[in-house]
Amino acid sequence: MRVNIFLLILVVAGTLAVTYVLNQPVRPTVQEVPVSTIQPVEAYPLAPDLLLTSVRKETFHLYDFKGKIILVNFWASWCVPCVIEFPQMLALAEKEPDRLVFLAVSVDASTENIERFIARLDDESRARLNLPNVHIIHDPDKKISQDVFQTVRYPETLVIGSDLTLREKIIGASEDFSSEEFRARLMEKFHE
Amino acid sequence: MNKFLLIGFFILFLVGAGACSAARATPLDMQVFSMIPLQHDGRVKPLESFARHMALRLTGTTSVQGRPAIDFLAEALFDPTRTAERPLFTIRNPEIKSLLGLPEEEKHFSLTVLLPGLQKEQKTIAAILARDDKSWSHTERALITLYETASDLRDLVKSLHFILPLRMPLPEFVRAELDIPASEADTYLDLKRYEEKISTFVRALPEEQVSDDLKLFILQLSLIEQSGDTEPFFRIMPPEWPLNQGQEWLSPWILINSGMGGPESAAYLDLWKDMAVAYRAQDTRAWQVATEAAYQKALSFKNSGVSPRRLVLETRYQQWNLLFYSFVLFGIATACGAAALSFPRVAVLRYLTAGALIPAVGLHATALCMRVMILERPPVSTLYESVLFVSLICVATALVFALFQKNKSFPLFLAAVSGVIFSFLSGYLAKDGDTLQVLVAVLNTNFWLATHVTVITAGYGLCVLTAMLAHGALLMKAFGKDVSGLTRKVWAPALISLLLTSVGTILGGVWADQSWGRFWGWDPKENGALLIVLWLVWVVHGKISGHLKETGFLVSVALLNVIVALAWFGVNLLSVGLHSYGFISGIAWGLGVFCTVEAVFVGVCGAVIKRKSYLSGVATCV
């Protein structure tokens, strides 16, 4: 009987000792936590092919620009941020004549508004409107902006990769399009 | 004969299931519509689940005014005015009626009637919400519940406002003047494209030419625009742009207002518009085509995480309601089992018990398997699921036990009773709606859920079954029957229970070490698990050493139920510790009653047995 009691005390003491040792605060296992929840994208969605007519009455398909980055900017003459970023985009188009196309899709109700807007641009920007990689498209019924790209607020800019896939949508005037950083990022990421 | 009875039971069950389905109020086929995915409560689910969740919040049942929840959802989305005018809210509290300016004699109110009162009492509601909810009075709690439910319904009926036909059309003279194409039913989004034209035209119009129609039309557009400024409630749009993929889904309003739309979402929203048109026209063919196209489109979004198999499975899980039918069958089995115990010579009663139990277990197991496939994790991660799992373990083990017994009536009855009790309990835990919830991050580890939680929960199940066997033995002994054979049969499940709960507890420690950096932290849940192990160790040692005689052993094992209930549910009352997956309020009363009933039962049985033993001792002496 005494032996049994001794064994019982020994077991209880041993258990307490083990618990005490194991229960010492130890540093939790550090696990790799992903910085963002973005999942890897298997494939980018292909941009829809669109038949476009510029205000210069040139007709072309979006897919005609395969091999170049396409910057589709939805703007309006009455939209203040658009007025700021429009010249930046023209400057960018001038710097990248072979690798970038700038499609400026105006949602103004009338062409007169577009003309007034152009008239207010500085001379340098106005001259850039004649670049072969710059096209102004009038979309008064919003068949392109709203029906295809679901854009109802302006400005919005789509970045279409040189492989004609939809890469990015820039909402509002959040980018400095004339900056070297933006140009470098654009060319590095979207030109293949 | 036996086979005949079993088949008969199946037929009865199938007929009953068919008769219980709710009557349809619309000729439109909702099957495909019910499978369209949305994101709600952190996971992608079919509209069927969301509809049931909404119905449950509104009415406390999974139907609304006798119509299936999915019909109600379709109406709320595509014909919101009708839903807003339905008296869906039941208010009996006279204080709330008086506060919201509602007629005293009525008790059912529509959203249209409720909203002005709730709007007026915004400050009162905000003041209540600013306080700790524990200090709320009964009326305040009811008011907040009403406010939240009404807000949810308001957000729901506004979800697709901008693609529904406008109540006040564009005045014809404006249309003609601005050369806007004629349309059968203009929507806000249709006219948004002419916003600049219309506003320029109206601004230029002399004051006297601005008709009432035009004023109302403009007011309507402005109200719809404002209604988009709400919580992202109805998240049906998977993020389309690569940078946003893997992030939360968007509600149609947020999609439009945030500029996150694109070609895919534009096409998808067009299909929702087609559904709206078909629904409003009650055009069955167009509805079928539109819902099918929308479903396929929803599946086609890249990296949206939508699994068609899981969507179909979850829709079926919700619609079939297998757990309800298994509950009914368990009830029938219990009745038959009780009759079989009372009339042991009537063999038919035993067959009937088995005949009801087998499909009940089948349905229960099927429902659990479906949950495993839908959630892709073991079915033991919430308190609700653990109850379902324990129920299956109990019933299945009792059935296996019955296979090896000469007298099958008792184990069959035991299986049926445990099925009923746990089904009832799971129904109580599921009263708040969706039980297919996303787990907190630390628990969302399939390996440990499959090992630690499954083992410990199986241990709970075995403990309950063992305790129920002991209950039966105690009761029989109290009636003067010899239970030495049954007592021997309690021994094996008690040992298996000890094994499972011990292994489960140790595995839990290993998991805790990996997740929280310590093996043991005296957390209430850990202490509860340890308590069961220690109790069983004490009982087993007591039995082996001879300190516990037959009655003492049976009483100790019977009280295992109380220990399990305290460890399983009781720790949730403390609302402390890291096992935050199972906290529920309002079970204290139920748990108290259970423990008292158990104590009284065991105490009375023990007293009766002791008295009989004393009397028989006296008689022997005499």
Side-chain angles (χ1 to χ4, degrees), chain B residues 21 24 65 75 101 161 195 248 250 352 365 431:
Chain B
S21 61
R24 289 223 162 266
Q65 294 187 324
E75 186 195 87
H161 247 162
E195 193 179 21
E248 279 196 315
L250 307 161
L352 276 174
K431 72 180 190 308

Side-chain angles (χ1 to χ4, degrees), chain B residues 144-273:
Chain B
I144 295 300
T145 306
L146 177 69
Y147 170 72
E148 287 174 348
T149 316
S151 303
D152 279 0
L153 185 62
R154 182 203 58 201
D155 288 348
L156 181 67
V157 296
K158 286 197 309 190
S159 300
L160 299 174
H161 247 162
F162 60 87
I163 56 166
L164 299 179
L166 296 170
R167 292 184 86 179
M168 182 61 65
L170 178 69
E172 276 311 312
F173 78 96
V174 183
R175 190 185 294 278
E177 193 69 37
L178 298 176
D179 199 21
I180 294 174
S183 164
E184 275 185 30
D186 281 325
T187 67
Y188 169 82
L189 210 55
D190 289 337
L191 293 179
K192 178 87 179 159
R193 70 186 73 236
Y194 304 112
E195 193 179 21
E196 190 193 345
K197 269 187 185 176
I198 296 171
S199 61
T200 313
F201 174 76
V202 172
R203 272 202 302 272
L205 219 55
E207 181 68 34
E208 63 276 10
Q209 285 186 33
V210 181
S211 62
D212 288 347
D213 282 6
L214 188 54
K215 282 180 189 163
L216 280 172
F217 172 77
I218 291 165
L219 176 70
Q220 170 189 242
L221 290 190
S222 140
L223 285 174
I224 293 176
E225 180 117 28
Q226 284 172 31
S227 74
D229 188 22
T230 52
E231 286 294 304
F233 186 67
F234 189 61
R235 296 174 185 271
I236 50 168
M237 314 297 297
E240 178 178 348
W241 292 93
L243 274 178
N244 308 110
Q245 282 175 6
Q247 293 182 356
E248 279 196 315
W249 289 27
L250 307 161
S251 68
W253 268 117
I254 295 291
L255 183 88
I256 293 289
N257 288 336
S258 66
M260 305 283 267
E264 295 292 310
S265 47
Y268 188 40
L269 212 51
D270 273 346
L271 292 169
W272 275 87
K273 193 177 162 188

Side-chain angles (χ1 to χ4, degrees), chain A residues 23 26 142 146-147 150 169, chain B residues 189 193 255 257 261 263 517 520:
Chain A
N23 201 29
V26 289
K142 306 197 174 71
Q146 186 173 317
D147 290 355
Q150 218 164 45
K169 192 176 198 182
Chain B
L189 210 55
R193 70 186 73 236
L255 183 88
N257 288 336
W520 197 261

Side-chain angles (χ1 to χ4, degrees), chain B residues 540-563:
Chain B
V540 168
H541 279 79
K543 175 76 177 159
I544 291 171
S545 64
H547 288 291
L548 286 175
K549 305 291 178 211
E550 189 178 75
T551 309
F553 175 69
L554 290 176
V555 164
S556 313
V557 175
L559 286 175
L560 190 59
N561 255 353
V562 175
I563 307 290

Side-chain angles (χ1 to χ4, degrees), chain B residues 313 317 320 322-327 329-330 357-373 379 388-389 391-393 395-396 399 423:
Chain B
L313 211 56
Y317 175 83
W320 289 348
L322 298 178
L323 291 171
F324 170 74
Y325 294 117
S326 79
F327 174 55
L329 287 171
F330 279 134
L357 264 177
I358 291 163
V361 173
L363 293 177
H364 195 96
T366 309
L368 271 182
C369 289
M370 286 175 91
R371 291 181 72 94
V372 171
M373 285 192 273
L388 292 183
F389 187 69
S391 172
L392 187 65
I393 294 285
V395 178
L399 280 177
S423 296

Side-chain angles (χ1 to χ4, degrees), chain A residues 35-178:
Chain A
V35 177
S36 84
T37 54
I38 299 170
Q39 291 168 358
V41 178
E42 286 167 13
Y44 295 105
L46 200 64
D49 193 10
L50 301 168
L51 180 65
L52 305 164
T53 307
S54 75
V55 290
R56 291 191 294 232
K57 305 295 175 203
E58 295 164 310
T59 302
F60 44 83
H61 283 271
L62 191 73
Y63 281 20
D64 293 344
F65 302 120
K66 188 173 183 188
K68 294 179 180 181
I69 294 171
I70 310 168
L71 221 53
V72 186
N73 175 242
F74 297 105
W75 64 284
S77 59
W78 42 264
C79 146
V80 178
C82 305
V83 179
I84 297 166
E85 68 178 16
F86 197 85
Q88 295 174 0
M89 289 190 189
L90 288 173
L92 177 66
E94 191 180 42
K95 281 182 199 163
E96 289 292 347
D98 301 323
R99 295 193 291 176
L100 183 136
V101 173
F102 174 37
L103 302 179
V105 182
S106 163
V107 294
D108 281 289
S110 69
T111 46
E112 290 79 36
N113 291 347
I114 300 176
E115 283 160 13
R116 269 201 298 277
F117 176 81
I118 290 171
R120 283 202 299 270
L121 289 174
D122 58 88
D123 292 345
E124 205 176 356
S125 297
R126 214 173 313 124
R128 284 172 184 152
L129 287 173
N130 296 320
L131 291 168
N133 61 336
V134 173
H135 304 277
I136 297 181
I137 293 141
H138 190 206
D139 182 30
D141 293 339
K142 306 197 174 71
K143 299 271 185 216
I144 303 169
S145 58
Q146 186 173 317
D147 290 355
V148 179
F149 291 106
Q150 218 164 45
T151 295
V152 292
R153 294 180 182 227
Y154 312 99
E156 273 184 17
T157 306
L158 305 175
V159 182
I160 298 174
S162 55
D163 56 351
L164 294 172
T165 54
L166 292 166
R167 295 300 184 98
E168 202 172 314
K169 192 176 198 182
I170 301 164
I171 300 155
S174 55
E175 288 279 358
D176 179 1
F177 291 96
S178 59

